[in-house]
Structure formats: structure tokens, C-alpha cells
Amino acid sequence: MHLVGFTSNGSGRHIGRLVGEVIEDLGAADSFYEDPFLNSKSSAIREFRADEVKFAPAVPITSRVFCVGINYVSHAGESKDLAGIDLPKVPMVFGRWEQTLITDGESAPVPHGEEGLDWEVELAAVVGRRFKHGATIRPEDAVFGYAAFNDLSARRKQLETPQFTLGKNADRSGPISAVVTAEEVGDISAGLRVRTLVNGVVKQDGNTRDLIHDIPTIIAHVSETLTLLPGDIIATGTPGGVGAGMKPPQFLKAGDVVEIEVERVGKVRTPIG
């Protein structure tokens, strides 16, 4: 099941079930995420054609985005060269704001003072159950669905200091796909292929089986400190092949098109400009 966020005629954000070109309205995003496992199977309130709505991320606007840095060995060497950061012994988590998220086809601008934006394809997990350390369910049972995510990065700002916040929160720098339910994606333990293409040329080609810290480990680690809430996003990191690690470095500039894809989950296309 594919779920999209949308607004219609000035309404607040809703969640819809995508069936072909029809969006089955499942209600306001906040209400939907009170129990997404149940509400994703509920009857539609109404139906819309795709050209009748404005698409939005398929999470509530209160969603928190927990990003994991240096979570593939293939990216670790690049990160050591760029930022002097050693391979993390525990998940290295930094935050993004929901306001940076955009959907398929929306454009991302290059921030002032940046040579360009850098690409980072990632598998993102969407939390569906409140989860805190000591919960009676397993961490993986808190995952409602998955999305393809591009952690577009403003490298100059990111690397100016040890703190990633500014470099990872540029305006409109978080392209994210529709959410596909975990039930539909199925077992991901064998790995999912993740790729980035820039103007049709493959730049990253990895597999989530190479994650250093898997999704249950990340959820368990984060939930020791804070309670994860339905609608929160966990972006699991990117494989090697980022632009800043190339010699010479390559960055996304106005007129470029970056596409990311996660096997069995989805794709996102982002024009730069």
C-alpha cells in the first residue's frame, strides 16, 4: 500500500491511499497517525484525482526526522577524508526538520554560498507505534512503512563546524517518496538496493545489507533517550559515492536533475534550481 500526503482547497494535510491515479482520502494526517496500522486499512472519506490535490510528505507536520550519519562502511572513508570522523561505534544521529521535506518532482534550490548540493540516497523508516526503551514490542514492530529519501546536503555549512544542523536543513532539501507499508515491502533483512542518478548517470549504487547499524538497532538506541512517536522518520544513512568524496568534487547545480531509488520502496526525482 502506497500512502501520500496532500492538501486540497486549502485544507490541512491529509493522508491518502494511492490507487492508480486515484487518492483515497483517509483523513487528517494527525488523526491518521494516531494508529496508522489500523487507519491505513479504513474506508476512504472521499476520493480525489491526483491532479486535484497538492502533494505533501506522507507524515504529520510534527514529524521528527532522525538521520544517521556514516552508516555504511563504503561511506566511512569519504567521511574520514572530508570531516575527520572515525567509524562510529554507535549510531551517529542528527536531526532534520519536517519543514525541509519535499515530494517527487519538486525543485530544491542551491543555498547562498554553496558551490552546489550533494546527494545522499537513503532508506527511511516511518514509525507507526509509540516506542520507548523497555517497550513490550520489538523495535522492528514499531516500523509502519518505508520511504526513499534524499538527504541533500549543503557541504560548506556542514563541514564548517562539527555540528551538521545547518548543512542538513537547507530549504527544500529533503526529497521523500510516498510511504510504502512495511507489510507490502516485506522482509528487508536480505537488503534493498539503493541508487542515485544525476542527469541519468549512476553516482551511488549500494545495498542496505551493508548498513553498519540496522533499523532495530537505531530505534533501540534512540529510544533509550527519547520516545519515538508515530510519524517520526528514521533516515538510515547513505552508501559511498557522494559528490564531495569525488576527485574533483561534484555537486548539484541549477539545471541538474537528481533521482534516487530504493528497491521495492520508491523513487524521487528532484530538479535543482
Side-chain angles (χ1 to χ4, degrees), residues 132-237:
K132 178 70 174 172
H133 177 71
T136 57
I137 62 170
R138 302 176 302 169
E140 53 266 44
D141 293 332
V143 175
F144 168 63
Y146 300 99
F149 177 66
N150 192 352
D151 185 27
L152 290 174
S153 302
R155 295 295 189 201
R156 184 180 72 85
K157 270 290 193 282
Q158 179 190 348
L159 300 174
E160 276 183 341
T161 75
Q163 301 299 323
F164 287 3
T165 304
L166 288 178
K168 295 292 190 172
N169 279 281
D171 292 339
R172 303 171 58 81
S173 64
I176 192 167
S177 73
V179 173
V180 184
T181 57
E183 180 179 50
E184 178 167 329
V185 175
D187 182 15
I188 67 168
S189 61
L192 301 172
R193 189 181 187 187
V194 297
R195 298 202 309 161
T196 297
L197 294 86
V198 176
N199 301 325
V201 178
V202 175
K203 298 295 184 178
Q204 289 179 289
D205 193 346
N207 195 293
T208 62
R209 64 171 170 264
D210 299 324
L211 287 171
I212 297 168
H213 305 291
D214 63 13
I215 290 171
T217 300
I218 298 165
I219 290 174
H221 177 74
V222 172
S223 68
E224 288 178 347
T225 305
L226 56 86
T227 302
L228 287 165
L229 303 174
D232 285 346
I233 297 168
I234 295 172
T236 58

Side-chain angles (χ1 to χ4, degrees), residues 108-117 252-254 272-273:
V110 176
H112 174 74
E114 295 287 340
E115 184 178 347
L117 286 167
L252 298 164
K253 297 179 171 61
I272 305 300

Side-chain angles (χ1 to χ4, degrees), residues 38-100:
L38 175 65
N39 292 331
S40 62
K41 296 177 171 61
S42 63
S43 299
I45 300 170
R46 75 204 87 176
E47 294 183 352
F48 295 94
R49 297 192 314 272
D51 61 3
E52 294 179 310
V53 304
K54 177 175 174 53
F55 286 101
V59 293
I61 62 172
T62 54
S63 174
R64 298 171 296 180
V65 186
F66 298 92
C67 299
V68 183
I70 316 178
N71 203 25
Y72 287 76
V73 171
S74 62
H75 183 48
E78 297 173 327
S79 298
K80 179 68 173 177
D81 291 342
L82 290 169
I85 301 173
D86 294 322
L87 195 68
K89 294 182 172 59
V90 298
M92 189 178 79
V93 180
F94 58 91
R96 254 191 184 272
W97 291 297
E98 187 279 338
Q99 289 88 341
T100 67

